Structures are given as structure tokens and as C-alpha cells.
Amino acid sequence: MTDELDRIFAFAAEGDMGGERTASSRFGTAVYSGEVPKRLDANYLRVEAPVPDADSLVEELRLLDRRMAFFPDSAAGEKLAPAFKALWWRVERVVIMALRRAPERAAETALVREVDEEALRAPRRRLLEDEPWATPEVVEQLFRGKELIARRLTMRCFGVVVDGEVVSYTDLYLRGGDAQVEDVGTLPEHRGRGYASAVVLAAVEEARRAGAELTFLFADAEDWPKDLYRRLGFDELGYYVKFLTPLT
């Protein structure tokens, strides 16, 4: 793993994937957040040691009362992915992308304004409503999770507002010389107008003004937004793997 990836994972451990406490495990480090127990990105096992087989990891997760395993080492995760898929666990691959170049496309960043985090809750809720796991309780804990992240890092929020409604948005997390662009979303009826590009580039500019030397983001390896981020100047550094327990 490169020093840059180590730096990104350390940033995430303090911010978006941070919890209130950790515990040692034979396979790594378990992360816990009692304030948002249903937010899996704050309650998981970070796998840092060799795992002999899927059954051993499933048993360890059961003992730790964790529903997600996170593999910073993608190769280690891929070795177990077929077995977890066969067990009906959800396997997710997340691309790590860092800002490297000028954007290939322009965007109307003048449309973007800085807003309070609470102003993003209505559009976030709308974009989550079709997810089978996004129960009202889980969604409220995701919102609470944003408040907890803002305690640990500097968090700023940006949005495009149309007729008094935020229709496209992103978060920006800052600490020292590092910055993360996170949780980009646009309401369906407002897509295709360049709003997502605008909010991302506005956040990138604010990160630069804040002195960030490394600006990065995470993107679903199997979804289209990563292609947009490439056009906006982000290049892939690698990826990580997550296993999430089946819904019950």
C-alpha cells in the first residue's frame, strides 16, 4: 500500500469511517459507534491480518457484533469475495480517486452556494428512499453521523439551489493538508444539467483555498459517477472491498 493510500485511510478513520471506540480482533480492528449503531461505516471490522476462510471471518464478526468487514487491502478482500457472495453477503468495491489534473470539462460553479448540513437532508432523504436498507431509523442515524463527523473534522456543504430547494449537493471534509469530497447527489429531475460537476468543482476550489495538498474521493467501482470524476481531474489510486451482511 502506498503512503498516499495510507494517508487517505487514516483520514477516513478519523472522519467518515470513524467511531467512538475500537477493539482489537485477531483479524484487525473493530470500530464501534454507540450513537449511530445502524450506520455501518461507523460500525465494522477493519481487516488487517490474514483470514483463512470466510467461515472464520463470519464467526469473528458475530463475536464482535459487527455486520460489515472492510478490507483496505483489496487483494485480500478479493480472495474471500466469491465465498461471501455465495453466502449472499453484499460485496462492494470502492474506488479511491485523487485530484491529479485540471478538469476536462467546465461547470457553472457560480450556481453553487455554501449551505448548512441540514439544508441537504431533504434531498438526501429523497435519494435514499428507494434503498431497501434505508429505513427511517437508519436515515436519521446517517444524518446524526454527519453531525459526528463535523465534530472530528471541518465539514462544509455545498449545493445548487433552484426555487428555494437544494437539488444537487456535496460535502467537503477538511483536516490539515487533506480534503475529501463526499456524498455527491442530484435529484433525478435535475440531472443532465451539469450540477454535479459544479458542486464537485466548487468543493475542489474551496479545498484548494483551504490549503489542501491532497484532495480525494471514494466512488462505487461498478457505477457511473467514477467516470464523471475522471473528467473532473480525479485519477484512481486503487480500491477497497467491503462485505455487508444480508438484510434480515
Side-chain angles (χ1 to χ4, degrees), residues 52-205:
D53 51 55
D55 289 341
S56 298
L57 184 53
V58 170
E59 176 62 14
E60 186 72 0
L61 290 166
R62 185 189 67 79
L63 292 172
L64 295 167
D65 193 24
R66 303 295 79 194
R67 295 177 50 228
M68 185 177 91
F70 162 55
F71 286 78
D73 181 347
S74 57
E78 292 293 3
K79 289 180 181 178
L80 295 173
F84 271 87
K85 188 173 182 180
L87 292 171
W88 296 98
W89 286 55
R90 194 162 83 243
V91 178
E92 294 186 357
R93 296 168 178 87
V94 180
V95 176
I96 304 156
M97 307 182 76
L99 187 67
R100 288 286 188 264
R101 301 168 282 104
E104 299 171 13
R105 60 189 297 177
E108 292 291 335
T109 56
L111 297 172
V112 181
R113 67 177 73 169
E114 188 162 2
V115 297
D116 293 334
E117 184 274 325
E118 289 188 359
L120 305 187
R121 295 189 179 188
R124 287 199 221 269
R125 187 177 279 109
R126 276 195 57 193
L127 292 181
L128 288 169
E129 62 188 8
D130 292 330
E131 297 290 347
W133 50 265
T135 65
E137 184 180 11
V138 168
V139 171
E140 289 308 313
Q141 289 197 19
L142 294 180
F143 294 160
R144 177 62 176 153
K146 294 291 183 182
E147 297 173 3
L148 298 177
I149 292 167
R151 290 183 188 175
R152 300 189 289 263
L153 305 172
T154 298
M155 183 173 77
R156 299 174 64 185
C157 301
F158 301 91
V160 172
V161 180
V162 175
D163 296 330
E165 177 186 29
V166 175
V167 301
S168 185
Y169 58 82
T170 193
D171 300 333
L172 177 66
Y173 305 150
L174 297 159
R175 186 191 63 182
D178 300 334
Q180 179 183 1
V181 178
E182 172 63 11
D183 201 5
V184 181
T186 302
L187 297 180
E189 63 270 27
H190 292 277
R191 290 173 183 166
R193 303 177 188 180
Y195 292 163
S197 296
V199 294
V200 170
L201 291 180
V204 164
E205 182 57 32

